Amino acid sequence: MENGGGGGGELMFSDEELREISGVKRGGDYVEVTCGCTSHRYGDAVGRLRVFIGGDLEITCECTPGCQEDKLTPAAFEKHSGRETARKWKNNVWVIVNGEKVPLSKTVLLKYYNQASKNANGSHRSHNGRVCHRDEFVRCTRCNKERRFRLRSKEECRIHHDALADVNWKCPDLPYDKITCEDEEERASRRVYRGCLRSPTCRGCTSCVCFGCEICRFSDCSCQTCIDFTRNAVA
C-alpha cells in the first residue's frame, strides 16, 4: 500500500478495511484506488477513484493512454465508459477486491459519500429548518459590475443558476430587482456579507456553501452539474 505523506487520508479507512482492495494509495485528504466500469460493447474502462474525507468522489479515467478525462463524477465516468445500463453507478462502477470486480455499493468506499448525502440538507439548514445558501454574485458582461443574487428559494436559485450559465448575462436581466448598468455596484465592504449562519463575513463553510440539494439543482436542466446531481440522487 502506498502512502501519500500524512493527513486525513491516513485516518479515513483502516488498513484492514483496505487490505484486499487493489491499487490503494493514501493522500493528504483522500484515498485512491483502482476502479473501472464494464461495457458489453467496449469492455472494461479502468480509472483511478479518489475518495475524499468530505464525501466527494473523483475518477481519473485511464481507458486509453491518451484519455484526458479526469475529475469525473462516478456517474460521468459510467457514461464515458459506454455502459449500456447507466444511471446505476453505485452498482456499475467497481473496484478489485481479492482479484474480483466488486461494485462500489458493496465496499466501505462509499462510507463518507453516503454520510455526506444523508447530511446534505442537515448541515445547510437554518434554525427554522430551511436549507441555507449564501448570497452569490454574477458579473455583468456589459458594465463589469458584480450583482448580488439571494438564494432563499428554489426560484431564486434557478435565477442565479441560469444567470451563471449565461455567458452574456447583463444587469437588466435580473428579474426581481429593477437594475441597470448605470446603478452603482455594492461597496466592497458590503459585498463581504454573504448571509452565512456562522458568520456574515464567512468566505465559505459547510453552513453556507451547498454543493447540491433539491433546492439548487434542477432535473429539467441540461447542464452537467444538474445531470450529475439527478443521476446520483436516483442511484
Side-chain angles (χ1 to χ4, degrees), residues 90-104:
K90 291 183 181 180
N91 294 322
N92 291 335
V93 176
W94 43 259
V95 296
I96 299 175
V97 182
N98 275 328
E100 300 290 333
K101 297 174 183 176
V102 177
L104 281 178

Side-chain angles (χ1 to χ4, degrees), residues 134-140 143-150 183-196 199-204:
R134 68 175 186 169
D135 297 349
E136 298 292 352
F137 292 86
V138 175
R139 189 176 296 278
C140 174
C143 67
N144 205 37
K145 295 174 183 174
E146 285 190 327
R147 301 305 187 187
R148 182 183 296 268
F149 284 71
R150 292 176 174 82
D183 290 305
E184 290 295 323
E185 187 179 41
E186 281 192 29
R187 298 189 306 274
S189 59
R190 177 71 185 86
R191 286 202 302 273
V192 300
Y193 293 92
R194 306 283 284 264
C196 175
S199 168
T201 58
C202 174
R203 295 187 177 183

Side-chain angles (χ1 to χ4, degrees), residues 2-22:
E2 297 182 46
N3 194 308
E10 296 196 26
L11 305 175
M12 292 174 63
F13 303 99
S14 68
D15 288 343
E16 185 65 31
E17 287 177 312
L18 301 178
R19 189 179 306 279
E20 308 299 339
I21 299 178
S22 295

Side-chain angles (χ1 to χ4, degrees), residues 69-87:
E69 297 290 343
D70 66 350
K71 295 186 178 180
L72 295 172
T73 64
F77 176 68
E78 178 191 46
K79 181 179 180 180
H80 174 69
S81 73
R83 174 75 188 193
E84 291 81 4
T85 56
R87 297 176 68 102

Side-chain angles (χ1 to χ4, degrees), residues 146-148 169-185:
E146 285 190 327
R147 301 305 187 187
R148 182 183 296 268
W169 186 86
K170 300 176 290 297
C171 292
D173 297 332
L174 193 62
Y176 49 79
D177 283 337
K178 299 302 181 184
I179 194 169
T180 69
C181 292
E182 284 67 44
D183 290 305
E184 290 295 323
E185 187 179 41

